[in-house]
Amino acid sequence: MIHPNQPLALSAAKNASSINAVVGSPPLLAASPASSPAAACCSQRRAAAGPGRRGAGGSSRLTVPPPPRCSTIEQAAGVSAVTVDRTLTVTATVTVQPPIGVVYAARGIDDLADLFGKTLILELVSSELDPRTGKEKETVSAFAHRTMKQDTYEAEFAVPATFGPVGAVLVENEHHREMFVKEIRLVTGADDSSAVTFDCNSWVHSKFDNPDRRIFFTVKSYLPAQTPKGIEALRKKELETLRGDGTGERKFFDRVYDYDVYNDLGDPDFKIEHLRPVLGGDEHPYPRRCRTGRPHTEIDPRTEKRKGPVYVPRDEQFSDVKGMTFSATTLRSGLHTVLPALEPLLANQELRFPHFPAIDGLYSIGIPLPAQLAAGAAAVAASGGAAASASSSTNIVGGVIPRLVRMIEDTTDHVLRFDVPEMFERDRFSWFRDEEFARQVLAGVNPICIQLLTEFPIVSKLDPEVYGPPESALTKELLESRIVESVTVEEAMAQRRLFILDYHDVFLPYVHRVRERPETTLYGSRTVFFLTGAGTMSPLAIELARPQSPTRPQWRRAFVHGPDATASWLWKLAKAHVLSHDTGYHQLVSHWLRTHCCVEPYIIAANRQLSRMHPVHRLLHPHFRYTMEINALARESLINADGIIEESFWPGRYAMELSSVAYAATWRFDAEALPEDLVRRGLAVRREDGEDELELTIKDYPYANDGLLVWNSIKQWASDYINIYYKSDEEVAGDEEVRAWWEEVRTKGHADKKDEPWWPTVDTRDGLIGVLTTIMWVTSGHHAAVNFGQYHYGGYFPNRPTVMRKNMPVEENKEEEMKKFMEMPEHVLLDTMPSKMQAITIMATLDILSSHSPDEEYMGEHAEPAWLAEPRVKAAFERFAGRMKEIEGIVDERNNDPELRNRCGAGIVPYELLKPFSTPGVTGRGIPNSISI
């Protein structure tokens, strides 16, 4: 850990004698005694240290050094002073982390280079200009050699006493393979109190891949106008490198950030059915993703070829720990190997589950694995997981979902057996009840779509010439017949007690297209809820609608939980359809679009326009960890043509197109702030006594109750942080990097919405704090709320079916269908829900996506080294960390309060999705800093 009071310049050893410093140029290094070896006037020592000079253009190439001088007279600020041009011995310790299990052809050559001390070249850069020339001072360079201590290299420099503070270190990797540099620590003489640490945590490419040296800056943060003159050029050069020139195909080791449209979801050259629309542009507005530069397909010149892993900048890729637990053995390779291997096994059985106990058997009995996969699982188990990295498909199972593969007791056979989801474990019948159906719109995995009903009668805004009459089947008489209290619809609306889950207009245009898929159906739906006196929600009625077509009229019908068996079973079927609508919208919009997809432009713009030294970059950096990599993996295996989403969710090939429609119609940055989102949906109103004070419409709304605690804590942290670095609004307005970053987010990252009037400005401290708080909330609290409960609530798929395969039996009133429904309604419900293959696919996927990695970083738990180096920032972060710990306790108290019936009750899953901390695995709690899964 870096000490908060660590000096930002090297100091002399404690026994150094004083010298006459140059006036106006405080020395980085005081002179050491003349007897010191570092002070010897020895050309051999200076040559070994390898001093060089960077020209005005900032070139880092070394030149032959001039002979050292023993004394000189320097001019500084017009004042003459006699100095002794002495040098100090400075030791650099480089801590690295080699790639795990990497073997490559040139490894032997690199080992020899290590042996002879020719591994890394380090170059120290002064923060000051040379007072004689007004240009950057000569840099000081040295080779680093491997030490006896594992993963450590050392270099020794002879540094002039007048060098000034070290502002940057340049690194050249002489290996044939990249190297992960964790930190560089500079110490003067043997005085540990002089230590200066450069936090790197970055991959340094081989010089054989790229001759340019890597630049690492001090942990001290600088606004652009405050940048020390000696490293101004390097600050600009580093940003130019990260922006690239917009040409060429990106290589694995590149660190270039640029924009492109979503044109890589399908490869029509491989299969014409994989052609997908380009997302981004006037026809299909969408956020931008990271450019890869891959060539385009022959069939469609707008579509990018899908060849090899998707490029993301090197430092955005998973760590080895994260990679071993997720990327290398899960979505990229595992599910696409395991699940097809299971398909023949399941094809010999009925397509659907024969009865509900058969679903329960997934958690108790499991599915026998094919012999070759079982053998692979056994090998993985025997090797302690080591075999999981093998390329053979027989080793995939144990690596992909080892938690799900169990050995049958007293045998060597293996089964795929799922953990019992918490909701099912607490109350196996809760999914069937109306109370739980309603509770989950406030405290489930998608609590951000419920809205206050503000207009009645309910009328569609779609074109009636295309879709049919706009009037809803949810009439005043119907709703009033279901309200448990003696109030009219008008009175209930005035009391803010009627709410709606509205998937009518957004889905209705896709009904006929989705129904062209085999074994798939869709409706537009509306569900109206009533807020009871107990503070819980009661579902009143559901409307399902099919638009008109050239051959058939519009069909729509309202369903209620009626007094007889037939009405009751129709109501259960209608609820299942609504749940599938909510599940699809949740995955594509609440989760993918509003977090993963919309955040990527913030990351790209920040790396292109904000220096690594910028305090805003350092504040946002932990909130961007792994997001670009997980998004790239999603484009490979989840949201791609014939990927898991298309195969297992009802929108099929229209999934991403539908998310584009939602982006165009509903997304706006200002409404991504939690308070604004609640107000926009009518779930909160602003109090008259304070602009930032909210009064919730539903007092017991777990997502909002806990979310506002987290939001306010984040906002206070952002406010404390920003006010340390900016002393006035004028400093914010004059920050060229922040201005360029936010302009690029709007005009390039979200280019299709660049002219919208709702974009906030960042020309004041409050404006910047608001923008940063929103981004930090979306990457942390919002994502945690919609992601980490997926297996708890969707692991028992009847609670959240991803697809419905049969129409309501009363839609056509066909005699055979109605007869089957009247005789065996349970079988009709099972026929309607996902098939065995779809269910197993989505259960395995949700288990992976709901899991925390062992190297997860939670809000308030991990401090960046740059924060710890500044005492005021360190204190602000400690206050933030303390607030997050307090929230843990508050959440526990709320979950044990019997008055809060939406989170506490018999068999109810307590609301812990916004509880800040967690252990690894599927826990249903924990708020990571970033969207990392």
Side-chain angles (χ1 to χ4, degrees):
M1 178 177 290
I2 299 176
H3 192 277
N5 294 316
Q6 114 180 358
L8 296 171
L10 295 175
S11 61
K14 291 180 180 178
N15 63 346
S17 62
S18 61
I19 63 171
N20 295 320
V22 178
V23 176
S25 179
L28 165 64
L29 307 164
S32 53
S35 59
S36 167
C41 184
C42 174
S43 60
Q44 181 178 0
R45 168 58 60 88
R46 292 292 299 272
R53 178 182 296 274
R54 291 181 300 113
S59 171
S60 61
R61 308 310 298 165
L62 296 179
T63 58
V64 177
R69 294 169 297 174
C70 292
S71 64
T72 185
I73 296 179
E74 298 187 10
Q75 297 292 122
V79 180
S80 297
V82 178
T83 67
V84 178
D85 189 8
R86 298 182 178 180
T87 59
L88 296 174
T89 299
V90 177
T91 302
T93 303
V94 184
T95 305
V96 304
Q97 179 179 306
I100 296 177
V102 172
V103 178
Y104 53 99
R107 182 62 183 266
I109 300 175
D110 289 348
D111 288 343
L112 285 174
D114 281 343
L115 183 65
F116 290 105
K118 302 290 185 179
T119 302
L120 294 171
I121 296 178
L122 304 184
E123 188 172 354
L124 306 185
V125 182
S126 174
S127 293
E128 298 176 349
L129 297 178
D130 188 324
R132 298 168 301 177
T133 66
K135 297 180 180 180
E136 292 95 339
K137 291 183 177 181
E138 290 184 359
T139 60
V140 182
S141 301
F143 274 107
H145 61 275
R146 181 184 283 179
T147 68
M148 297 298 292
K149 186 178 179 182
Q150 187 176 7
D151 303 332
T152 302
Y153 293 79
E154 280 189 0
E156 188 174 285
F157 302 86
V159 181
T162 57
F163 191 73
V166 176
V169 178
L170 309 185
V171 180
E172 181 176 282
N173 176 12
E174 303 289 301
H175 273 166
H176 290 75
R177 179 81 185 189
E178 65 183 356
M179 177 182 293
F180 189 83
V181 177
K182 298 175 72 174
E183 68 175 27
I184 301 171
R185 190 169 184 265
L186 305 180
V187 176
T188 306
D191 182 10
D192 265 355
S193 68
S194 70
V196 178
T197 301
F198 286 74
D199 175 58
C200 304
N201 281 303
S202 178
W203 290 99
V204 177
H205 55 258
S206 164
K207 75 171 185 179
F208 300 101
D209 290 328
N210 183 346
D212 293 338
R213 296 186 175 185
R214 284 295 311 277
I215 304 171
F216 295 106
F217 295 109
T218 173
V219 293
K220 183 174 176 58
S221 298
Y222 294 101
L223 299 177
Q226 300 166 348
T227 309
K229 297 297 182 181
I231 54 175
E232 272 187 346
L234 283 182
R235 181 172 185 147
K236 294 177 180 177
K237 179 183 178 182
E238 173 76 346
L239 288 175
E240 290 171 359
T241 298
L242 294 170
R243 286 194 286 266
D245 61 6
T247 64
E249 184 173 354
R250 300 270 62 90
K251 304 295 190 296
F252 172 81
F253 54 82
D254 282 343
R255 297 169 56 245
V256 175
Y257 297 77
D258 206 351
Y259 302 93
D260 207 344
V261 294
Y262 278 74
N263 63 348
D264 63 342
L265 300 178
D267 189 345
D269 285 354
F270 170 72
K271 193 176 183 180
I272 189 61
E273 290 80 10
H274 284 185
L275 181 63
R276 295 292 180 269
V278 173
L279 303 183
D282 294 339
E283 187 175 358
H284 298 289
Y286 217 57
R288 300 305 192 258
R289 48 96 173 174
C290 185
R291 178 186 176 276
T292 68
R294 293 184 293 188
H296 288 196
T297 63
E298 296 180 5
I299 290 179
D300 181 14
R302 302 175 305 164
T303 297
E304 188 174 279
K305 286 187 176 180
R306 291 171 58 85
K307 62 169 188 175
V310 179
Y311 164 80
V312 294
R314 186 62 182 100
D315 284 340
E316 304 297 334
Q317 297 173 29
F318 287 162
S319 68
D320 287 329
V321 172
K322 180 79 171 180
M324 287 191 299
T325 58
F326 183 77
S327 66
T329 54
T330 53
L331 294 182
R332 176 175 285 159
S333 56
L335 292 180
H336 285 271
T337 302
V338 176
L339 298 173
L342 291 174
E343 197 160 10
L345 210 104
L346 298 173
N348 296 328
Q349 306 176 37
E350 289 186 66
L351 188 62
R352 67 164 173 82
F353 288 91
H355 40 66
F356 281 97
I359 300 174
D360 302 352
L362 294 174
Y363 315 109
S364 57
I365 301 171
I367 300 172
L369 292 175
Q372 73 273 19
L373 292 180
V380 172
S383 66
S389 62
S391 59
S392 169
S393 64
T394 61
N395 288 328
I396 290 294
V397 170
V400 176
I401 31 181
R403 299 183 339 102
L404 307 183
V405 177
R406 274 75 169 197
M407 184 181 292
I408 301 175
E409 191 173 358
D410 299 328
T411 74
T412 58
D413 296 333
H414 286 73
V415 296
L416 184 68
R417 189 166 69 227
F418 291 88
D419 282 347
V420 181
E422 186 171 0
M423 190 203 80
F424 187 72
E425 185 175 40
R426 285 176 175 265
D427 184 351
R428 63 187 300 178
F429 301 112
S430 62
W431 70 278
F432 222 49
R433 293 198 303 270
D434 289 355
E435 295 85 355
E436 182 65 12
F437 169 63
R439 190 190 72 85
Q440 286 185 29
V441 304
L442 301 177
V445 75
N446 190 32
I448 61 177
C449 289
I450 188 71
Q451 302 177 63
L452 184 71
L453 183 62
T454 57
E455 296 180 1
F456 198 85
I458 302 169
V459 178
S460 171
K461 294 178 173 59
L462 297 175
D463 185 353
E465 294 295 325
V466 177
Y467 300 101
E471 292 78 17
S472 170
L474 301 176
T475 63
K476 171 181 168 66
E477 293 74 22
L478 178 71
L479 295 181
E480 289 177 350
S481 71
R482 306 304 305 167
I483 296 177
V484 294
E485 301 177 21
S486 298
V487 294
T488 65
V489 166
E490 292 78 9
E491 290 170 339
M493 291 178 66
Q495 296 169 14
R496 302 170 67 83
R497 298 178 70 182
L498 285 182
F499 299 84
I500 186 169
L501 196 62
D502 193 347
Y503 297 127
H504 184 276
D505 285 8
V506 67
F507 290 164
L508 205 66
Y510 286 88
V511 167
H512 292 308
R513 283 186 279 177
V514 167
R515 288 187 175 198
E516 292 174 359
R517 296 185 66 206
E519 296 290 319
T520 310
T521 193
L522 177 64
Y523 294 99
S525 70
R526 298 184 179 102
T527 308
V528 174
F529 300 86
F530 177 72
L531 180 62
T532 70
T536 58
M537 299 278 270
S538 174
L540 301 182
I542 292 171
E543 176 184 22
L544 300 179
R546 180 198 71 209
Q548 67 184 25
S549 71
T551 58
R552 292 195 295 179
Q554 180 193 80
W555 178 87
R556 63 176 63 245
R557 178 167 169 173
F559 299 89
V560 298
H561 194 161
D564 57 71
T566 300
S568 177
W569 272 103
L570 287 173
W571 169 253
K572 290 178 175 62
L573 283 168
K575 277 199 305 181
H577 280 280
V578 170
L579 287 168
S580 75
H581 301 163
D582 190 64
T583 300
Y585 194 89
H586 159 261
Q587 200 63 261
L588 295 173
V589 181
S590 303
H591 183 199
W592 162 256
L593 174 68
R594 291 180 61 181
T595 64
H596 290 261
C597 186
C598 286
V599 163
E600 186 155 340
Y602 312 150
I603 304 172
I604 299 172
N607 283 281
R608 287 167 54 87
Q609 301 296 344
L610 296 176
S611 167
R612 298 301 193 268
M613 285 189 289
H614 200 294
V616 170
H617 186 283
R618 284 174 163 159
L619 177 65
L620 290 177
H621 179 257
H623 294 278
F624 295 158
R625 186 175 185 242
Y626 298 152
T627 301
M628 293 181 71
E629 170 83 341
I630 196 67
N631 287 359
L633 286 173
R635 302 205 310 274
E636 274 192 82
S637 304
L638 274 176
I639 63 174
N640 58 301
D642 284 351
I644 290 172
I645 296 296
E646 287 197 4
E647 287 292 317
S648 302
F649 283 77
W650 58 260
R653 64 177 293 123
Y654 305 108
M656 296 305 292
E657 180 183 331
L658 196 149
S659 73
S660 168
V661 170
Y663 175 74
T666 65
W667 188 86
R668 44 186 294 171
F669 180 86
D670 59 336
E672 292 304 290
L674 177 60
E676 294 301 324
D677 173 61
L678 294 172
V679 170
R680 180 179 61 87
R681 291 189 285 120
L683 272 297
V685 294
R686 297 195 181 279
R687 292 177 180 168
E688 296 180 359
D689 57 349
E691 183 180 350
D692 292 331
E693 294 294 323
L694 295 182
E695 181 177 346
L696 294 179
T697 308
I698 302 173
K699 306 304 180 188
D700 181 15
Y701 183 5
Y703 164 74
N705 297 130
D706 296 357
L708 287 171
L709 291 177
V710 176
W711 168 272
N712 290 333
S713 182
I714 294 172
K715 186 175 182 181
Q716 186 62 59
W717 159 232
S719 179
D720 290 346
Y721 185 93
I722 290 302
N723 282 299
I724 289 170
Y725 289 102
Y726 294 95
K727 304 307 179 186
S728 68
D729 291 343
E730 288 72 23
E731 283 191 336
V732 178
D735 190 326
E736 60 188 28
E737 289 186 7
V738 161
R739 187 168 61 248
W741 165 64
W742 193 236
E743 178 75 6
E744 194 166 286
V745 166
R746 180 177 64 84
T747 61
K748 291 188 176 181
H750 288 273
D752 300 327
K753 288 181 174 278
K754 66 180 185 298
D755 297 322
E756 297 287 355
W758 40 253
W759 283 100
T761 59
V762 291
D763 52 4
T764 65
R765 284 173 291 181
D766 285 346
L768 179 57
I769 290 165
V771 164
L772 296 176
T773 303
T774 298
I775 292 173
M776 293 159 72
W777 160 256
V778 171
T779 62
S780 59
H782 179 137
H783 181 258
V786 299
N787 183 74
F788 293 106
Q790 290 190 86
Y791 189 75
H792 276 359
Y793 287 103
Y796 184 70
F797 71 87
N799 183 62
R800 293 191 66 78
T802 58
V803 64
M804 297 297 277
R805 299 186 298 125
K806 303 293 181 185
N807 297 334
M808 292 289 289
V810 293
E811 180 183 337
E812 300 291 344
N813 273 318
K814 293 180 178 178
E815 183 177 349
E816 184 178 344
E817 292 180 359
M818 285 302 299
K819 180 181 179 182
K820 183 177 181 180
F821 168 69
M822 296 299 288
E823 291 178 352
M824 304 190 74
E826 178 183 329
H827 285 193
V828 172
L829 181 58
L830 287 166
D831 282 342
T832 303
M833 286 187 171
S835 68
K836 286 185 176 182
M837 197 65 215
Q838 289 169 329
I840 292 168
T841 299
I842 205 63
M843 289 166 68
T845 302
L846 295 183
D847 181 88
I848 293 167
L849 298 182
S850 301
S851 183
H852 289 294
S853 170
D855 71 340
E856 200 85 88
E857 294 179 359
Y858 298 97
M859 292 283 284
E861 186 178 66
H862 175 80
E864 295 288 292
W867 305 347
L868 297 175
E870 166 54 62
R872 292 173 299 168
V873 175
K874 179 176 182 287
F877 178 78
E878 288 174 346
R879 293 193 296 272
F880 172 61
R883 289 193 299 270
M884 299 308 288
K885 289 182 175 67
E886 289 177 8
I887 291 173
E888 281 262 312
I890 294 172
V891 170
D892 286 339
E893 290 177 6
R894 289 174 173 176
N895 285 332
N896 287 287
D897 186 348
E899 295 299 314
L900 302 178
R901 296 175 176 86
N902 291 320
R903 62 193 307 158
C904 179
I908 285 178
V909 177
Y911 190 76
E912 296 184 321
L913 291 172
L914 290 172
K915 194 172 179 180
F917 308 109
S918 175
T919 54
V922 179
T923 64
R925 66 176 71 94
I927 308 176
N929 285 317
S930 64
I931 303 164
S932 60
I933 197 166

